[in-house]
Amino acid sequence: MADSNRLVVIALAAVVLSVVAIGAGGVAFTDDTRAQYHPDRNVQLVETGNDTALWPYTSRTRAFPSKTLSINVVVYGDAADVRHALVARTNADWNRTASAQSDRDPTAAPPGPNGTAIAWESARGATRYTYVANVAREDGTPAGYWMAESGQFHDGDYLGSRYHVRLYEPIDDEERWVAMQAHQEHWDWFGLRHSVDSNERAQQYVETDFMGQPFVESVTREYYATSDPLDTDGWVTEIDLRGGAVRLPNATGAGATAAGNATADAALGTAAVPLAALPGIGVAQARGLLAAAALAAGLVGALASSAPVSLDRVSRTVERSRARLVTVAADIDLRYLVLFGATLSALLFVRASGIYLERLLPGSPKLVVALCYPLVPVGLPLVAYLPARGLDEFRSFVVASTGVALGITVDYALLGVAVLPVETLVHRLGVVLAVGLLAAGAAEKGRSLRLGALLWVAVVVAPLVRWF
C-alpha cells in the first residue's frame, strides 16, 4: 500500500509539473511567436531579377499571416537545370518526393491551381505557398501572385531522418531563379507525421552539395533578415549556375552581399555538415565522443606508466570482483533485466523495423506505417506489463520508466535531434510516466494500473487529435 501511495503521489506531481511546463512554455514563446507571425503589417520582399520580388517565407495558406518557415536557398539559373542538378549531378542522394512520401496535412488546402491558371505538380498534402510580386508596374504599385511548390525532393529515410526541400519556380519563363525551403525533419511515431528539426542543417547540406560542382559559378550567402521559430539566422544561400543568370541587389537593403564573409561561412559549413548529416551523430556528439576517447586514452596511459603491479594481485582482484558480481546477480530477479531491456528497445525496434521495411518496399511508406504503428500503442504497454507481473511494484516502476526514457533518448540521438519543442518534451514525459505505472500495476493491479492505462490512452490519442 505504501508503494502504491508513493506512485500516486509521483504521478500527480508529474502531472502538475507538466501543466506548469506547458504554461511556462506558453509565456516564454507567446510574445516572440506573435511578433513573427504578423508579416502583413510590414511585408518585406527581396528582388530576384527581371523586375520581380520574392516574399522569403512559405505559408500554409495564400496569406501572409499564416507563414511557416523561411526560404533559405535561392538558385539563379534555369529551373530545369536546377532539378537536373539535384537528381543527377550532385553528390547527395536526392530523390523526388512522390505523393506517397508526403505528409497528409488535414489543415492544408487541396492541391491544384495556385491562382495563376497553372496547375503545379505539387505533391498531395502539406502544400506550402509563397508570394512573388511584380515591382515594375507602370502605376508603381506591386502586383503579384501566390504559388504552391513546383516540386519536392528529399534525401534520407521517410521513417527516419531526412533532408526535405520544396522548390518554388516563377511562372514567367524569362525569370531564371528557383527558391527553396530546405529543412531537416524526422518521423514522429506518436504523431504520425514529420517533425521539423532544423533549417540551418538542411541549408548547409544543400549549399555543400552544390559547392565545387563544374556547373556552379558561385555559392554565397546574403542577409535577408528572415526569422522563424527554428534556427534561421537571416542569411540565405544564393547559388549562381553557369549560364549568365542576372539578379538585382537585395531590395531590403538589410545587408549587401558579403562575398568574402559568405564564402568563409560556407567553407565552415562544408567542414561541419558531413558530421551533422550522419544519422545519429552531430558535431556536438562527435566532439563528445572524441573527448571521451581522449580521456580513456589518457587513463590507459596513466595506468600503463604507473608502478608495476603483481599479476597475482591482479588475478586475486579479478576473482573477488567476479565473486561479488555472482552474489549480486543471485539477489537480482532477472525479470527486472528483461523489463528494462524490453522497454528500452521497444521504440527502437519500431524505428528500425520501419526503416528496414521502407527500404524493402520502396514507394510504400504509408503501408509500412500501417504495419508498424500498432506496435506503439499496443506493443509498448505489453512489454511493460508482461515482464513485471509478480515483481515489486515500486522497483518495476523505476526500471520500466528508466528503460523507456533511455530508449527515447537513444532514438533521438540516432536521428540527430538536438532540440525538442516544449509540447513534445511534455508528451514524452507522459509516455515515461504511463509506462512506469503500467509496469507497477502489473504487480499491484490496482490504482497504478488504472491510472497508467488512463494516462497511456491520453498520450496515444493526444498527438492524433489533429487528424480528426
Side-chain angles (χ1 to χ4, degrees), residues 275-444:
L275 285 177
L278 289 176
I281 185 168
V283 176
Q285 293 91 334
R287 290 173 180 169
L289 290 176
L290 292 175
L295 178 60
L299 290 175
V300 171
L303 291 174
S305 61
S306 62
V309 180
S310 171
L311 293 179
D312 292 337
R313 181 179 300 177
V314 172
S315 178
R316 289 194 298 270
T317 301
V318 171
E319 182 62 27
R320 287 196 298 269
S321 299
R322 189 190 67 81
R324 291 195 188 99
L325 289 175
V326 170
T327 302
V328 172
D331 295 336
I332 296 178
D333 193 325
L334 291 180
R335 287 179 294 175
Y336 286 114
L337 297 179
V338 174
L339 175 62
F340 178 78
T343 52
L344 167 65
S345 60
L347 292 177
L348 295 176
F349 176 77
V350 175
R351 178 75 64 189
S353 299
I355 294 176
Y356 173 77
L357 291 176
E358 173 190 348
R359 296 176 180 178
L360 187 65
L361 304 171
S364 305
K366 299 300 175 65
L367 173 61
V368 176
V369 171
L371 293 174
C372 294
Y373 175 70
L375 297 176
V376 177
V378 178
L380 192 53
L382 287 179
V383 300
Y385 179 85
L386 295 179
R389 291 178 299 176
L391 299 179
D392 178 76
E393 180 184 4
F394 191 73
R395 289 181 180 179
S396 297
F397 174 84
V398 173
V399 170
S401 58
T402 303
V404 72
L406 184 58
I408 292 173
T409 303
V410 171
D411 182 43
Y412 280 133
L414 292 175
L415 294 174
V417 178
V419 179
L420 290 176
V422 174
E423 59 271 19
T424 301
L425 179 60
V426 172
H427 177 267
R428 298 306 187 265
L429 291 175
V431 170
V432 171
L433 180 60
V435 170
L437 289 173
L438 287 171
E444 192 261 341

Side-chain angles (χ1 to χ4, degrees), residues 144-206:
Y145 55 89
W146 289 94
M147 60 180 179
E149 66 266 13
S150 58
Q152 299 184 39
F153 293 86
H154 68 272
D155 184 6
D157 295 307
Y158 180 88
L159 298 177
S161 179
R162 69 175 184 174
Y163 295 102
H164 187 200
V165 175
R166 289 185 173 92
L167 273 60
Y168 297 88
E169 305 170 14
I171 61 174
D172 190 346
D173 292 337
E174 295 182 358
E175 298 178 26
R176 294 168 52 81
W177 58 267
V178 176
M180 298 185 185
Q181 203 298 304
H183 57 269
Q184 185 185 30
E185 61 187 13
H186 74 273
W187 178 258
D188 182 357
W189 274 107
F190 284 96
L192 296 180
R193 63 186 179 88
H194 282 108
S195 179
V196 179
D197 304 315
S198 173
N199 282 335
E200 177 64 21
R201 285 188 183 182
Q203 180 180 353
Q204 290 181 346
Y205 192 70
V206 171

Side-chain angles (χ1 to χ4, degrees), residues 9-382:
V9 171
I10 291 174
L12 293 177
V15 172
V16 172
L17 289 176
S18 299
V19 173
V20 172
I22 293 174
V27 173
F29 294 106
T30 295
D31 293 340
D32 185 48
T33 303
R34 285 180 178 176
Q36 292 171 349
Y37 281 86
H38 285 279
D40 53 325
R41 294 182 299 193
N42 185 21
V43 175
Q44 297 285 337
L45 302 177
V46 291
E47 293 189 8
T48 57
N50 295 328
D51 300 323
T52 61
L54 171 71
W55 182 54
Y57 295 94
T58 60
S59 178
R60 292 185 180 89
T61 62
R62 299 181 182 92
F64 296 116
S66 62
K67 78 170 186 177
T68 52
L69 301 176
S70 58
I71 299 292
N72 50 11
V73 179
V74 177
V75 183
Y76 291 94
D78 185 73
D81 292 340
V82 175
R83 289 169 175 266
H84 179 67
L86 283 175
V87 174
R89 299 186 63 185
T90 58
N91 297 322
D93 185 22
W94 293 104
N95 295 283
R96 185 182 297 276
T97 305
S99 299
Q101 297 170 307
S102 300
D103 295 329
R104 180 180 66 86
D105 188 345
T107 63
N114 63 356
T116 61
I118 294 181
W120 295 82
E121 55 170 332
S122 56
R124 288 187 178 275
T127 302
R128 296 293 181 261
Y129 305 90
T130 193
Y131 182 81
V132 175
N134 184 343
V135 296
R137 297 187 70 194
E138 295 181 358
D139 58 2
T141 59
Y145 55 89
W146 289 94
M147 60 180 179
E149 66 266 13
S150 58
Q152 299 184 39
F153 293 86
H154 68 272
D155 184 6
D157 295 307
Y158 180 88
L159 298 177
S161 179
R162 69 175 184 174
Y163 295 102
H164 187 200
V165 175
R166 289 185 173 92
L167 273 60
Y168 297 88
E169 305 170 14
I171 61 174
D172 190 346
D173 292 337
E174 295 182 358
E175 298 178 26
R176 294 168 52 81
W177 58 267
V178 176
M180 298 185 185
Q181 203 298 304
H183 57 269
Q184 185 185 30
E185 61 187 13
H186 74 273
W187 178 258
D188 182 357
W189 274 107
F190 284 96
L192 296 180
R193 63 186 179 88
H194 282 108
S195 179
V196 179
D197 304 315
S198 173
N199 282 335
E200 177 64 21
R201 285 188 183 182
Q203 180 180 353
Q204 290 181 346
Y205 192 70
V206 171
E207 67 185 9
T208 303
D209 192 30
F210 276 89
M211 282 181 179
Q213 299 293 344
F215 55 88
V216 175
E217 182 73 31
S218 65
V219 179
T220 60
R221 285 196 178 188
E222 184 169 350
Y223 190 66
Y224 281 29
T226 52
S227 64
D228 55 44
L230 288 177
D231 51 0
T232 297
D233 59 3
W235 289 88
V236 174
T237 299
E238 294 190 339
I239 302 172
D240 278 347
L241 303 185
R242 297 185 187 276
V246 178
R247 58 188 174 93
L248 299 179
N250 191 342
T252 63
T257 304
N261 293 337
T263 304
D265 291 341
L268 290 175
T270 305
V273 168
L275 285 177
L278 289 176
I281 185 168
V283 176
Q285 293 91 334
R287 290 173 180 169
L289 290 176
L290 292 175
L295 178 60
L299 290 175
V300 171
L303 291 174
S305 61
S306 62
V309 180
S310 171
L311 293 179
D312 292 337
R313 181 179 300 177
V314 172
S315 178
R316 289 194 298 270
T317 301
V318 171
E319 182 62 27
R320 287 196 298 269
S321 299
R322 189 190 67 81
R324 291 195 188 99
L325 289 175
V326 170
T327 302
V328 172
D331 295 336
I332 296 178
D333 193 325
L334 291 180
R335 287 179 294 175
Y336 286 114
L337 297 179
V338 174
L339 175 62
F340 178 78
T343 52
L344 167 65
S345 60
L347 292 177
L348 295 176
F349 176 77
V350 175
R351 178 75 64 189
S353 299
I355 294 176
Y356 173 77
L357 291 176
E358 173 190 348
R359 296 176 180 178
L360 187 65
L361 304 171
S364 305
K366 299 300 175 65
L367 173 61
V368 176
V369 171
L371 293 174
C372 294
Y373 175 70
L375 297 176
V376 177
V378 178
L380 192 53
L382 287 179

